[in-house]
Amino acid sequence: MSDIHPFRVLRARPLWIAGGVITGVLALLFTVFYVGANIDPAGHMKKLPVGLVNADKGAAMGGEQVNLGARITESIKQSTASGDKIDWKVMDEKEVTEELGKGKLFGALVVPADFTSSITALTGTTADRTPARPTLRVLTNQSAGSLGSGLARTATTQAAENASLQVGKELTARTGAEQAKLPAAARVLLADPAAVTVEDGHPLDPHSGLGLTAFYYALTLVVVGMLSANVISGQVDHALGYTHNDMGPRRLHRPLIRATRVQTLAISSTLMAALSLLMGTLVMVGAVGIMGMDASHLPLLWLFSVAAIAVSGIGALTLLAVFGTPGMLVVTLVFIGMAVPTAGATTPIEALPGFYRFLAEFEPLRQITGGIRSILYYDAQGDAGLTRGWVMMAAGLVAAALFGFGVLGWYDRKGLHRIPVGAAPEKPAVPA
């Protein structure tokens, strides 16, 4: 036994260098992933999907049939004012309702059926009649993400206001000298005839966190799976006798049961899959039963929750088994550091820099969030994110199995056992 005082290890340069490099890199990476993704969403925004509807039936104006709604939607579609930031999708009212109800649109601009007739009525306003102002409807969609809905609302409102001014110029030119016969209020309205109203295009239940419960529920599933993997990995190692287990002042150590790395991962994964039934149940009980989160399709929500925890946990177990001690840092970066900014919940994928959009294609949190959104907000429609969620979780599970068992099988074949064959096993410590 050495007589060196324990605090002397603080003089060891490798301790400071290793600790400094690992923690410094971790701090830098988390800053880049978290802050970098959200510095300028509006500046990075590209092709944010927004609906554009012309329901206007047109009306006679100056002896000819006119459809101002068609002119507005066409001018917005062809406008270069927003560059490629907004992807205007021309569709009818039914299609817009369906797309908002699947989270595929962040908002919409709707020209109502009586728009042209309401505009023409302004030119016939008399002094004893209050002018009625036509409206352009801006629809929001918080269920697709509050920030994305806000960006869409800003762009759509601006487009509607510009369209109103453009129509005003045309009306002013058409009426000409007749304007002098109109009341002052009507002349003011002719210059900017349309009011812009903002409505919720896909209302959510009150206990839906303004469209964020799906994200936080999905994040809970991933974190539970990730942390459980760390616990299960340690408990399996203790059960096999590879590590001791400190319980307060007591140190427990079981007799060594030799197991290959492949066998250890198989044992851990089996335990994770079984315990996911318990964890998925308790997550749903906590969120829905105790906290009162609005949710429907409860059997499907439970099944998806169990699967998400199992896949996240087995994926984390694989990284822990392959990378060893640094594995938990890798797990944290993959399942939290790179996942949260690319989940498409706080910042839409369309408003992320290109690198983050690439990560979003396979990061597990985005896929799980999409599936939970579909279940909670979109009546569990497959093309609202649920099918993608199932497919990507299955692909993730297959990838984890191939990577984990492939690499660990290679370790075993090379004789890279955790305790070399022939080495004397560590003697169990006597409990204090």
Side-chain angles (χ1 to χ4, degrees), residues 37-47 82 84-85 151 347 350-354 357:
N38 298 285
I39 286 179
D40 187 16
H44 290 120
M45 188 167 66
K46 185 176 181 180
K47 294 190 178 301
S82 60
D84 63 348
K85 294 182 180 298
L151 291 170
T347 303
E350 294 82 0
L352 292 175
R357 296 186 197 186

Side-chain angles (χ1 to χ4, degrees), residues 21-39 219 223 226-227 326-342 355-356 359 363 365:
V21 169
I22 294 172
T23 57
V25 169
L26 192 64
L28 178 61
L29 288 176
F30 262 81
T31 302
V32 169
F33 288 130
Y34 272 60
V35 181
N38 298 285
I39 286 179
L219 180 61
V223 170
M226 181 187 78
L227 296 180
M328 196 59 198
L329 297 179
V330 179
V331 168
T332 303
L333 285 174
V334 171
F335 287 90
I336 301 297
M338 295 188 295
V340 172
T342 59
F355 172 68
Y356 300 89
L359 290 179
E363 269 295 329
L365 184 56

Side-chain angles (χ1 to χ4, degrees), residues 150-177:
L151 291 170
R153 172 178 174 172
T154 299
T156 308
T157 301
Q158 183 178 7
E161 291 171 347
N162 291 339
S164 177
L165 292 174
Q166 186 63 37
V167 170
K169 290 180 181 179
E170 183 174 338
L171 286 178
T172 300
R174 278 178 174 274
T175 54

Side-chain angles (χ1 to χ4, degrees), residues 78-91:
Q78 296 180 354
S79 174
T80 59
S82 60
D84 63 348
K85 294 182 180 298
I86 300 296
D87 182 13
W88 297 104
K89 297 184 177 295
V90 179
M91 54 186 66

Side-chain angles (χ1 to χ4, degrees), residues 217-306:
Y217 189 93
L219 180 61
T220 299
L221 298 176
V222 171
V223 170
V224 166
M226 181 187 78
L227 296 180
S228 298
N230 193 44
V231 172
I232 288 173
S233 178
Q235 291 300 308
V236 168
D237 283 348
H238 171 61
L240 293 173
Y242 282 90
T243 61
H244 59 261
N245 192 10
D246 288 332
M247 302 293 290
R250 295 176 62 84
R251 170 166 290 188
L252 306 176
H253 204 147
R254 295 178 179 275
L256 178 65
I257 302 175
R258 290 190 179 277
T260 65
R261 293 178 182 272
V262 168
Q263 289 171 336
T264 303
L265 179 58
I267 293 169
S268 301
S269 299
T270 301
L271 189 59
M272 172 61 73
L275 292 180
S276 294
L277 297 169
L278 172 66
M279 291 184 283
T281 300
L282 292 178
V283 168
M284 197 172 81
V285 167
V288 180
I290 298 176
M291 302 310 299
M293 181 183 79
D294 285 318
S296 56
H297 304 283
L298 295 183
L300 179 59
L301 179 62
W302 174 82
L303 182 61
F304 195 90
S305 301
V306 170

Side-chain angles (χ1 to χ4, degrees), residues 265 311 314-319 322 394-407:
L265 179 58
V311 172
I314 292 173
L317 283 170
T318 297
L319 295 175
V322 170
L397 184 60
V398 171
L402 293 175
F403 176 66
F405 289 111
V407 173

Side-chain angles (χ1 to χ4, degrees), residues 58-93:
M61 181 182 294
E64 62 177 307
Q65 188 70 16
V66 176
N67 190 308
L68 295 176
R71 296 184 186 180
I72 288 175
T73 53
E74 186 63 26
S75 64
I76 291 175
K77 181 70 175 177
Q78 296 180 354
S79 174
T80 59
S82 60
D84 63 348
K85 294 182 180 298
I86 300 296
D87 182 13
W88 297 104
K89 297 184 177 295
V90 179
M91 54 186 66
D92 59 34
E93 289 184 282

